Amino acid sequence: MQYQIYTSGNNRYRSLIPQHYSIIITYIVNKFEVQMDYFLFLLSTYWIIGFFIALISVTYIYLSIVYSYWKRRGIPSPKTTWLLGSYGTRWKEPQGYIELEWYKKYGRIFGIYEGLNPILMVSEPELIKNILIRDFNKIPNQKRWKFGDRIIDNMVITMEDEEWRRVKSTLTPIFSIAKIKKCDQKSFLRYFNVFIMDSISRCAFNMVIDSHEYVKNPFVIAVTNIFSSVPWRNLMLAIFPKLSELLKLSVADTKSTSFLYKTVLEILEKRKMHENEKYDDLLQWMLESSGSENIDEKSNYNTSKNKYLTRDEIISQCILFFIVGFVTTAANINFIVYSLALNPECQEKLAKELQENLQNQEELEYEDVQNLPYLDAVISETLRYYSPTPKVIRMGHEDYHLEGTDIVVPKNIMIGIPIYAIHQDEEWFPNPKKFDPERFLPENRNLIRPYTYFPFGLGPRSCLGMKFSQLEMKLCLANVFRHFRFCLCEESKLVMDFNSGFEVHSPKEAILKVECRN
C-alpha cells in the first residue's frame, strides 16, 4: 500500500495516510472547505473521548464484580464507596465504632471491603476458637503488610509462615514469667515515675510537670511518631498493596524508624565491644538466644532451618517491643485512669485494695501485684470497654470452611474478627456501656462466655508481650493510685474520645484534676 505526506497551505501533516484515504480526505476538505487542522482536532478528540469511555466502562465492570463478591455469595455487606471500600470516607473515624455499627446491623457474620480486598467478619465464639486456635495451621497469617521497609518487614507481627515460626520460637522464651521476674525492678520504678508524671499528667491531662525533659526526648518522640504517617498511605496499601510495596510506601515514619534503627545498632556495637558485661533486658536475651555472631554486619541472611535471628531481625523486634510496650501500654493506662475518674467508687475500691495489701512498701516487685484481684479486674474491664485493637485478621493458603455453615473462604481471602464489637455485645456483656470491673472478679469471671473476651488476641499469634504489658500496667497503677486520686474538672468530658485514625484505638484528650492522698 502506498503512503504520501499530505500538505494543505502552510500546514504539513506528516501522518502516514493510505493513498485512497488521502484522496477521500482531500475531497472532503475541498468540497466543504474544512481546515485540515480542525478536522484532525475533532478526530483526535473523538479518539480521546472514546478511550476514556472505554476505560470508564471497563473500570465500572471490574469494580462491579469486585464489590459484588459478598452479594454473589449471599453474605450481607454494608454499602461500599468504590476504591475506598466499606469504610468509604470514614477512614478517620475510630475503626471499632464503624465495625460495631455493622455488627449490630448485619449480625455475627458479614462481609466488608478494605479498599478492594474482601474481608469476612466472623464473631461467633465457636468459630473464633476454630479460626484462632484449632485450625491455626490452615490460616496462620495476619494481614499481608509488606512495605519494602527493612524495619517493619522484619517485625514478627508482619512475618508469615515458617519465617514467623522461626522468629516466634526464639522470642517466646524471652517473654516467659521467669524472664520478666528477672527485670531490674528499680529500673522499672524510675521509668514509671517519669512515665506517669510526664506521659499521663502532661500529654493526657494537660498538666505541666517536666520531670526529665520527657517531651524533648528524641527517642520518645521517635517511638510516639513512628506510625503517624500520612493517611493516604494506609489507603494506598488497602487499594493497591503490590504497588505500595513496589514504591516502598511504608505506613511507618521513615525518620523515626531510621533514628530507632541507628540507636539500637549503636547499643549492639557497644555490647559487642564489651561482651563480658551482661544485662537482664530484651536485647541481651535475644543476643543470647541468637548467638553473638548475629550482631556482625554480614549476618543478615537467614533460612527457616536456622533458628538464629539476623541483626536486622533483632533490631526490628527491639523497636517493635518499644512501640508496643510504650505506645499501646500508655494508651491503656490513660484509658484506665480516665475510667476510674469517671467512676470514683471503683477508684476507691482499688485504692483500698492497694492500701490493705501493699501498705507502705516503697518498691514493688512482681509478686506484690499478682494477688490484687480488683486491680486485675479494673485492667480487664478497661481492655474490654475500649479494646485498643479493634480487630484481628487471619489469612491462609488453602480454602477454609466455616464449621456449621455453608461458607467456604477461599485461600488468600482475609477473615476478620471484630474484637471491639464483640466486647460490646449485650449478650456476652450485659449493659456493655457500663464500666463494671466486677465482671472480672474471680467469682464472676467464669460467667463470661469463652472466646468472647480476648484484648490481646488468641492462639499462637496472640500478643507475645501480653504478660509484660500487664505487669507494666499493674506496677504503674499500683504506684499511682496509692498516692494520687484522679477527679473530674470543668474541662473533663464524660466520654473518652478516640483519636482519629485507623487500626489502633488511642485516647484523644483527657483533662482531669489530680489530688494527693494522705
Side-chain angles (χ1 to χ4, degrees), residues 146-390:
K146 291 294 183 182
F147 312 109
D149 185 319
R150 66 176 177 177
I151 301 299
I152 306 300
D153 290 356
N154 275 311
M155 289 181 176
V156 67
I157 60 173
T158 61
M159 290 179 169
E160 299 180 353
D161 303 318
E162 294 306 315
E163 185 182 49
W164 168 80
R165 289 183 173 87
R166 174 179 59 80
V167 175
K168 195 239 183 184
S169 66
T170 302
L171 295 179
T172 298
I174 292 175
F175 289 97
S176 66
I177 294 297
K179 289 287 188 183
I180 292 174
K181 290 172 69 174
K182 288 177 64 178
C183 289
D184 184 351
Q185 300 297 332
K186 293 181 181 180
S187 174
F188 253 138
L189 292 179
R190 287 196 298 270
Y191 169 77
F192 282 125
N193 286 336
V194 175
F195 180 77
I196 290 298
M197 300 303 286
D198 288 330
S199 181
I200 294 182
S201 298
R202 176 187 289 272
C203 300
F205 303 113
N206 201 29
M207 295 174 57
V208 181
I209 302 176
D210 194 4
S211 59
H212 284 105
E213 296 292 328
Y214 173 83
V215 294
K216 297 180 181 179
N217 188 311
F219 188 83
V220 173
I221 292 172
V223 172
T224 304
N225 293 338
I226 196 165
F227 286 125
S228 60
S229 60
V230 182
W232 65 265
R233 291 188 180 185
N234 294 329
L235 197 57
M236 279 289 292
L237 180 65
I239 301 173
F240 307 114
K242 294 294 184 183
L243 179 61
S244 298
E245 183 179 353
L246 180 65
L247 298 176
K248 296 186 177 181
L249 294 177
S250 175
V251 294
D253 178 67
T254 53
K255 289 184 179 179
S256 296
T257 55
S258 296
F259 173 82
L260 293 172
Y261 183 91
K262 182 180 178 181
T263 301
V264 179
L265 185 59
E266 288 176 355
I267 297 172
L268 281 172
E269 292 301 323
K270 287 180 180 178
R271 294 200 180 183
K272 183 180 178 182
M273 294 171 61
H274 302 88
E275 293 182 351
N276 294 330
E277 296 183 21
K278 300 297 180 182
Y279 305 83
D280 278 331
D281 58 22
L282 174 75
L283 179 58
Q284 188 64 36
W285 296 334
M286 280 197 289
L287 290 175
E288 291 172 357
S289 298
S290 297
S292 60
E293 69 275 9
N294 288 292
I295 63 174
D296 192 282
E297 287 187 0
K298 297 180 180 180
S299 62
N300 259 339
Y301 174 76
N302 222 325
T303 67
S304 60
K305 295 181 180 179
N306 186 354
K307 70 175 183 178
Y308 296 142
L309 303 183
T310 67
R311 184 197 64 189
D312 277 359
E313 287 172 344
I314 290 175
I315 294 175
S316 291
Q317 308 326 310
C318 286
I319 294 175
L320 174 63
F321 178 75
F322 293 142
I323 296 168
V324 175
F326 178 81
V327 177
T328 59
T329 304
N332 290 335
I333 291 174
N334 280 310
F335 288 137
I336 292 168
V337 172
Y338 206 78
S339 297
L340 290 175
L342 290 171
N343 299 272
E345 70 285 355
C346 298
Q347 184 174 173
E348 293 311 307
K349 285 183 181 180
L350 175 61
K352 182 180 179 181
E353 179 183 72
L354 295 174
Q355 290 165 0
E356 290 178 349
N357 289 274
L358 303 179
Q359 298 179 354
N360 296 321
Q361 288 178 250
E362 292 185 4
E363 295 183 2
L364 301 181
E365 297 182 357
Y366 174 86
E367 288 78 7
D368 295 325
V369 294
Q370 294 310 304
N371 297 311
L372 299 171
Y374 199 77
L375 173 60
D376 186 73
V378 165
I379 293 173
S380 297
E381 173 66 352
T382 306
L383 291 172
R384 178 203 70 81
Y385 196 96
Y386 292 103
S387 302
T389 302

Side-chain angles (χ1 to χ4, degrees), residues 127 130 401-407:
L127 293 178
N130 295 345
H401 174 244
L402 292 184
E403 192 174 81
T405 75
D406 59 355
I407 300 174

